[in-house]
Amino acid sequence: MKGSTSRRSLFPARLGLALGPDRLVAVRMAGRLAPHPAEVLECALEPPTAEGWPSLAEALRDLSAELGVQGARVDVALLRRLAHARVLPLPPLGRAELAALVLRGARRHFAVRDETLVADAVRLPLPRDGSLAPALAACAPAELAGHVATACTAAGLRVSRLVPGAAALSAGAQALAPDLRRGRALVVACSAGGAEILLLDGGAVARIQPLAPADSLSVEPQPLGARVLAALHAGEEMASAARIAVCGTGAAADDVRGALLTDAELGERVVVAAGMDGLPADAVAAMGAVRAGREAPVLLHGALTEARVRAARRRTLVQTAGSAALLVAAAWLHLDGVRREVDAVRARREQIRRPVAEAIEAHATVEQLRAELATLSALESAAPVWSGEIAAVARSLPDSAHLRTFVADSGGVRLGGVARSASGVVPALAATRRYDRVSLASPVRWEQGDAGERFDVAAFLAAAAVKP
């Protein structure tokens, strides 16, 4: 097995394989986010037999041992004569329905024998033609896919997917020359199996046109560059491409590049990208097998598909169980945190229980005092103002009279005093209209020491005279 080695990456490698009937090209990819070629190896193969593909298994074992990639993930591009790919107008169905439709009509669309096939199709973001939408359809013999999967497993490699060579070539070319994703572009791949022209529209494969190798032609062969120019000028779609990229190494690829660069109409459209002229076309396809996404048809053997489904189910169960365990752990941690918070609140409540009780008791005492003060204020506001009454009595009495006692209650007053003539006291008080029922409460007596008559008068306050 011969190859070329470039710098190795610290990231785990993936393998891309381009598999033809008589050759194998392997590319060790490095990097995770944007895998790039690290090593390219190629070797010749014996064609597969009805029992299997022993030369492929042996080559893969040598490859795995040389690169030290036992157990690595492998993506395989099945080149022409092993897989067939074509852009077909198909009803706008789901992917599973499209695959079944292609499988039923495979012998009408592809040059295949009467054998069991595997097929797939993906819808393309291209203009629709009425009720039909363009789709990239592909098929391959199921037995061949099984031989490839068996050989990879025997070499200790894990098959990730099998894709048609055209889809892998498109993905690899666009990874090396990102400008091919804009507008219409052409990719011309030159290899030992001949040339293949891909028309890309916005990065999607719009047309696939293979060119057979010169030694397979029954007529006088033309140089590959002249045949490529004739194919490009023959179709309006091909001639309208804004960019043209050539993949491959060797005399045939150099002849195609020279013919395109010297063409007056197409020369200025040739794209020169780093890596495009330094890698074999099959290596670009092997790289594209790794870089291709869901837009590439997948050709897997039925048993391998079932195994992958079972593995996916097991992974789903494991992930579900892991998610459930994480949810339980998160719930337990949350509950434990809530319990800790509750315990802290309870401890704090015990600490402040007595101060809170004292504060509540003090608040109740204050409220009681406020109620009593409000009652006293109301009583004081409703009580008569006796200082005014005393002054009014003093003004009402005759000038010769003076008071010695003044007793008041809620309804009336008792006045005791001495006057020269006690007979004038009762009329004087009654004349003020501040008192009702003014009368002598006891007989008038002569007071020898005061030189006057001693009187004792009882009276009731008039309602209009009581002022709060």
Side-chain angles (χ1 to χ4, degrees), residues 300-322:
L300 290 177
H301 188 260
L304 180 59
T305 303
E306 294 177 1
R308 293 173 69 83
V309 170
R310 289 194 297 270
R313 288 176 178 173
R314 287 195 298 269
R315 289 195 299 270
T316 301
L317 290 176
V318 171
Q319 292 174 356
T320 302

Side-chain angles (χ1 to χ4, degrees), residues 87 124 126 134-136 166-167 170-171 174 198-201 203-208:
V87 178
L124 299 175
L126 299 174
L136 179 59
S170 170
Q174 293 182 59
L198 301 182
L199 174 62
L200 306 180
D201 192 346
V205 179
R207 185 177 174 183
I208 303 172

